[in-house]
C-alpha cells in the first residue's frame, strides 16, 4: 500500500502485471499489504489512518471490477509489531479498511461486481499461541460481514498434519457459503529443520564433496555457482528429507479441495533475490518451495529457467 504514494497505481509494476494478466483472461488475486513493522497500527480517526485510507482510495479505482479477488491485508498478524499482534487495535484498523473497500464496491455494482472480497491471511494457526482473541474476532468479523466471501490462510508448516490445524480453526468459523483462499502454503519449516544435516552420502560421493558438507552449504554453493539441472535434481532426489515429501503439493491441495470450501490455492512460482541473499544455516529456505529456480540452476539450452522438477508432475496434475 505505501507504493500508492509513488504515482499512478495502474502503472506500478505489481499492479500493472496483475491487470495485464486479467486483460488476457487469467484469474487474478491482489492482496492489499499494509506494513506496520516499525510503527503502531493506525487508530481510526488518526493521521496515520487518514494516510492509509488515502492510499486505499488511490488503489481501489484501479483494481475494483478488474481483479477476481481482492484481499484485505496480506499477513496482518505478521506485518505489524509484536506488541500489536493480539490487540483490538489491529482488528479495528483492518475492519475499517474492509468497510471502506465494501463501500467502494457497493458504489460500483455491489455483489454483482466481478471482484470478490476476502480478509487477509491467518498465519501459524498450528501453534496455539497464534490462536488468540484477535484471530477469533478476525473470523467473527469475516463471518458476520455479508459482503465478505471468506478468509485467506497461509499454511507454511513442517508437515501436512499442521496444515490441517488451519482448516480445523477456520472452517467452523465461516458461515455457510463462505470459502477460503490458500494463497501461500509450503513445507518451509520442514526444509529449515534439515539445513544443518550432512548432505546425503550418495550425493557427496557422486559429486566428490566431503561427506561432512551440510545441506545449507550445498545450497549456498548452488547460489554462488548455479548447478546443472541434473545436479540440482540429484541434490533433492538423494536427500530423504526432501524426496519423501515430494508429493506435498499434490497432497495439500487435495486436502484443501476435499473440504468443498476452497476458492483459490496458489503456489510460489519462482525464486527471487531476497530468497538467496546471505544464505546460511539459519536462513528460511523459501527457495526450495519454488517451481522455477533461476538462482540455483543454470538456464536450459532453450534459455528456459531451471526448475524444481519434484513439483512438476503434481503441479500439472492439479491443473
Amino acid at each position: 500500500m505505501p507504493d500508492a504514494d509513488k504515482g499512478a497505481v495502474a502503472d506500478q509494476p505489481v499492479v500493472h502485471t496483475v491487470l495485464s494478466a486479467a486483460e488476457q483472461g487469467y484469474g487474478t488475486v491482489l492482496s492489499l499489504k499494509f506494513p506496520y513493522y516499525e510503527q503502531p497500527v493506525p487508530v481510526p480517526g488518526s493521521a496515520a489512518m487518514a494516510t492509509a485510507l488515502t492510499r486505499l482510495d488511490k488503489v481501489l479505482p484501479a483494481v475494483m471490477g478488474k481483479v477476481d479477488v481482492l484481499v484485505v491485508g496480506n499477513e496482518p498478524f505478521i506485518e505489524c509489531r509484536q506488541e500489536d499482534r493480539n490487540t483490538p487495535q489491529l482488528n479495528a484498523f483492518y475492519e475499517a479498511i474492509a468497510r471502506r473497500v465494501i463501500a467502494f464496491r457497493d458504489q460500483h455494482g455491489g455483489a454483482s461486481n466481478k471482484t470478490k472480497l476476502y480478509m487477509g491471511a491467518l498465519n501459524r494457526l498450528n501453534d496455539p499461541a497464534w490462536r488468540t482473541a484477535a484471530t477469533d474476532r478476525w473470523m467473527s468479523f469475516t463471518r458476520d460481514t455479508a459482503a465478505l466471501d471468506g478468509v485467506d490462510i497461509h499454511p507454511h508448516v513442517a508437515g501436512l498434519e499442521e496444515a490441517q490445524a488451519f482448516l480445523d480453526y477456520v472452517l467452523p468459523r465461516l458461515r455457510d457459503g463462505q470459502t477460503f483462499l490458500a494463497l501461500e502454503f509450503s513445507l518451509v519449516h520442514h526444509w529449515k529443520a534439515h539445513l544443518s544435516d550432512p548432505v546425503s552420502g550418495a550425493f557427496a560421493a557422486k559429486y566428490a564433496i566431503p561427506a561432512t558438507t551440510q545441506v545449507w552449504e550445498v545450497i549456498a554453493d548452488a547460489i554462488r555457482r548455479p548447478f546443472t539441472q541434473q545436479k540440482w535434481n540429484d541434490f533433492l532426489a538423494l536427500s530423504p528429507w526432501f524426496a519423501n515429501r515430494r508429493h506435498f503439493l499434490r497432497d495439500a491441495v487435495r486436502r484443501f479441495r476435499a473440504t468443498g470450501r476452497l476458492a483459490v490455492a496458489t503456489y510460489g512460482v519462482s525464486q527471487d533475490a531476497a530468497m538467496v541473499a546471505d544464505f546460511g544455516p539459519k536462513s528460511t529456505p523459501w527457495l526450495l518451495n519454488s517451481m522455477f529456480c533461476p538462482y540455483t540452476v543454470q538456464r536450459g539450452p532453450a534459455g528456459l529457467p531451471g526448475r524444481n522438477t519434484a513439483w512438476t508432475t503434481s503441479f500439472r496434475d492439479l491443473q
Side-chain angles (χ1 to χ4, degrees):
M1 294 305 294
D3 290 347
D5 296 338
K6 298 178 180 178
V9 170
D11 294 334
Q12 293 172 17
V14 169
V15 178
H16 178 75
T17 298
V18 172
L19 294 179
S20 295
E23 289 170 0
Q24 296 174 59
Y26 289 96
T28 52
V29 181
L30 185 68
S31 296
L32 305 178
K33 179 174 180 172
F34 296 86
Y36 292 108
Y37 303 104
E38 298 178 353
Q39 62 193 96
V41 172
V43 175
S46 67
M49 188 75 201
T51 297
L53 293 175
T54 297
R55 290 169 174 167
L56 184 63
D57 290 345
K58 296 175 183 177
V59 172
L60 292 177
V63 302
M64 188 69 73
K66 299 174 183 177
V67 299
D68 293 287
V69 175
L70 191 65
V71 185
V72 177
N74 177 50
E75 293 183 334
F77 293 88
I78 289 179
E79 292 158 357
C80 66
R81 305 178 307 168
Q82 186 169 352
E83 58 263 40
D84 293 333
R85 189 170 291 156
N86 185 23
T87 64
Q89 183 174 323
L90 180 71
N91 294 97
F93 170 76
Y94 280 99
E95 289 167 11
I97 294 294
R99 291 188 183 103
R100 187 80 152 220
V101 172
I102 291 166
F104 184 89
R105 192 181 70 164
D106 284 346
Q107 296 166 8
H108 296 82
S112 65
N113 191 295
K114 170 184 176 178
T115 302
K116 305 304 180 186
L117 305 179
Y118 286 76
M119 292 302 288
L122 298 176
N123 297 84
R124 305 182 189 177
L125 292 176
N126 52 299
D127 182 349
W130 284 70
R131 302 193 293 268
T132 66
T135 59
D136 285 347
R137 176 170 164 176
W138 195 269
M139 291 304 306
S140 295
F141 177 78
T142 300
R143 181 186 64 242
D144 296 340
T145 304
L148 295 173
D149 283 276
V151 70
D152 187 15
I153 58 173
H154 288 181
H156 294 295
V157 294
L160 188 58
E161 65 283 355
E162 292 184 0
Q164 183 64 42
F166 285 72
L167 303 177
D168 293 342
Y169 181 83
V170 166
L171 293 179
R173 290 171 171 82
L174 292 173
R175 69 175 182 270
D176 290 347
Q178 283 185 314
T179 54
F180 70 94
L181 312 171
L183 298 185
E184 296 182 25
F185 61 98
S186 77
L187 283 178
V188 71
H189 295 297
H190 175 71
W191 314 143
K192 187 171 184 176
H194 291 277
L195 287 183
S196 294
D197 289 1
V199 72
S200 77
F203 182 82
K206 182 170 182 177
Y207 290 96
I209 63 174
T212 55
T213 304
Q214 296 182 359
V215 166
W216 75 267
E217 293 177 299
V218 176
I219 296 172
D221 187 43
I223 293 168
R224 287 190 297 269
R225 296 178 296 275
F227 289 178
T228 64
Q229 184 68 66
Q230 185 60 56
K231 187 174 181 179
W232 187 248
N233 291 352
D234 288 342
F235 166 58
L236 297 177
L238 296 174
S239 298
W241 53 267
F242 190 93
N244 62 18
R245 300 292 195 280
R246 67 188 180 278
H247 298 305
F248 169 76
L249 179 57
R250 178 199 68 188
D251 296 342
V253 176
R254 283 182 177 176
R255 185 168 297 209
F256 298 154
R257 288 176 174 170
T259 67
R261 306 288 290 278
L262 175 67
V264 180
T266 59
Y267 193 72
V269 171
S270 183
Q271 295 171 346
D272 61 32
M275 295 178 184
V276 302
D278 302 316
F279 195 88
K282 302 297 184 182
S283 296
T284 302
W286 299 106
L287 57 85
L288 293 178
N289 295 334
S290 303
M291 294 284 297
F292 293 99
C293 306
Y295 287 87
T296 58
V297 182
Q298 297 169 18
R299 285 191 172 273
L304 296 174
R307 294 176 294 153
N308 184 334
T309 56
W311 305 135
T312 302
T313 299
S314 290
F315 187 83
R316 288 174 172 163
D317 289 348
L318 288 166
Q319 304 309 306

